[in-house]
Amino acid sequence: MTESHRPSGEYAMYPTYPSSGNGAAAYPPPPPYEPAQPIAAGPGTTVWPGGGGADAGGPGGYPPPQPAPEPSKPARRAKRPFALLAAVAIAASVVGGGTATLIGQFTDGGTNGSGSGGVVQGTTVSQSSAGTVSGVAAAVSPAIVEIGATSTAGQSTGSGVVITSDGEIITNNHVITGASEIEVTLSTGKKYTADVVGTDADKDLALIKLQGASGLKTASLGDSSGVKVGDQVVAIGSPEGLTGTVTSGIVSALDRDVTVAKSSEDSAGSDRSQQQQGGSDWPFEFGGQQFNGDTGTSKTTYKAIQTDASLNPGNSGGALINMNGEIIGINSAMYSPSSASSAGSSAAGSVGLGFAIPVDTVKADLDALRAGNDS
């Protein structure tokens, strides 16, 4: 009769294994993995790796099975706006400062910085067209407008630069001074009526605002402190009423003292009807000489950027632009002799002697103009 070797007592809790061999030499089958080897710690003592004494471990003296590790929780996905910003920021680090500017506009809701001394953001030249006259023209022309001002003396034509999407426009004071009605024509041909917000006759600057305008293309006001003689520039305006005319040249000189009349009433020998017909441009003084007529008794002098870019009557208030598409000056005075004033000579038009008010002067004056100051 075969005996059953069933464990009893304190070992009954462990499962039985089929015997292999005979009698006391019987042993359980080998486990499916290599068991940990005991460490000898002296006579009569056996220590298993992982801690514990001689009675530590599971069935058969083997180390107890370790619990399976808990599955790791999937990383929480970043919320879409932050993930998008991270992606745009990475792109900005590669592309450069232009894209970084766009990121700043995205994160602050698209507002344009336009306070005193601040940069007014707007359209600039794409990277593929940077440094070309055609690229500057394509980018900035939509932000340059033609201004028609009607007064008791007649009608004059000038230009202006759109600096906000709801229709704030910088121009020369002499373009709109004394006007009873102002009509502005966009590059698309659409017309608006404009109101005068503020004027500064001492700097020959004015700020006007279109009625009911929105979504307009805006220019970017740059930094005129870094302009150097010899820099290539582009001028855009409406000479003789030819809206959106583009010319180019270089910066001929800096800090020229230019003197102009403060208003049409103060300018002897020049009226608005003559300006519209091209018979005379706004009178100014430079180097002790008078050009385009008599500046009269009430006048002001400012530091100007001189350029040889072709400027003609109607360019006043338009933009002088660097090759990145940033406004660096507001064109304000140009020598444009006519056949009538040239003692029988047929010479007329631009002679490459033009001046622009530095854009840093414009930015410093913006807060006062927006406050409605008239001086």
Side-chain angles (χ1 to χ4, degrees), residues 18-361:
S19 298
S20 297
N22 296 312
Y27 58 88
Y33 55 87
E34 182 68 22
Q37 298 300 315
I39 302 172
T45 304
T46 300
V47 178
W48 290 93
D55 58 351
Y62 298 114
Q66 298 299 317
E70 294 184 5
S72 58
K73 295 181 179 180
R76 179 178 293 179
R77 294 181 63 185
K79 293 184 179 179
R80 292 189 56 151
F82 296 101
L84 177 59
L85 284 178
V88 175
I90 292 172
S93 66
V94 177
V95 175
T99 306
T101 300
L102 294 178
I103 294 174
Q105 293 177 350
F106 178 80
T107 54
D108 68 9
T111 56
N112 288 333
S114 53
S116 178
V119 173
V120 178
Q121 298 294 342
T123 303
T124 52
V125 182
S126 65
Q127 285 194 334
S128 60
S129 300
T132 66
V133 174
S134 59
V136 173
V140 186
S141 288
I144 310 302
V145 300
E146 178 184 326
I147 298 175
T150 302
S151 71
T152 55
Q155 189 176 42
S156 67
T157 300
S159 304
V161 179
V162 180
I163 61 171
T164 64
S165 60
D166 61 350
E168 281 189 347
I169 296 172
I170 286 288
T171 187
N172 288 140
N173 177 63
H174 74 254
V175 170
I176 53 88
T177 184
S180 57
E181 181 181 349
I182 301 173
E183 184 180 72
V184 174
T185 305
L186 304 184
S187 61
T188 60
K190 187 172 182 179
K191 298 181 183 295
Y192 287 91
T193 298
D195 300 315
V196 176
V197 177
T199 62
D200 188 340
D202 289 332
K203 296 182 177 67
D204 196 17
L205 292 172
L207 181 68
I208 63 176
K209 177 75 178 295
L210 303 185
Q211 298 178 4
S214 63
L216 303 183
K217 295 288 187 180
T218 61
S220 179
L221 303 189
D223 180 4
S224 54
S225 65
V227 174
K228 300 183 292 295
V229 174
D231 283 352
Q232 189 175 4
V233 290
V234 173
I236 304 179
S238 300
E240 310 294 353
L242 300 174
T243 305
T245 296
V246 177
T247 58
S248 66
I250 63 168
V251 172
S252 303
L254 300 171
D255 297 325
R256 295 296 200 191
D257 289 324
V258 174
T259 301
V260 298
K262 287 190 174 184
S263 71
S264 58
E265 289 79 9
D266 296 328
S267 175
S270 176
D271 60 45
R272 292 183 176 273
S273 60
Q274 287 179 320
Q275 293 178 55
Q276 181 193 31
Q277 297 167 2
S280 176
D281 191 24
W282 193 249
F284 70 97
E285 298 177 14
F286 171 69
Q289 300 183 63
Q290 289 191 341
F291 300 92
N292 306 333
D294 186 358
T295 54
T297 57
S298 180
K299 47 196 174 184
T300 184
T301 300
Y302 54 82
K303 299 288 186 182
I305 299 170
Q306 182 181 334
T307 180
D308 69 348
S310 179
L311 302 178
N312 289 286
N315 272 114
S316 290
L320 189 66
I321 313 157
N322 66 20
M323 300 311 290
N324 292 322
E326 300 166 332
I327 311 301
I328 59 168
I330 300 298
N331 298 322
S332 57
M334 63 286 302
Y335 179 42
S336 183
S338 66
S339 57
S341 62
S342 301
S345 170
S346 60
S350 174
V351 293
L353 186 61
F355 302 93
I357 301 168
V359 75
D360 286 358
T361 301

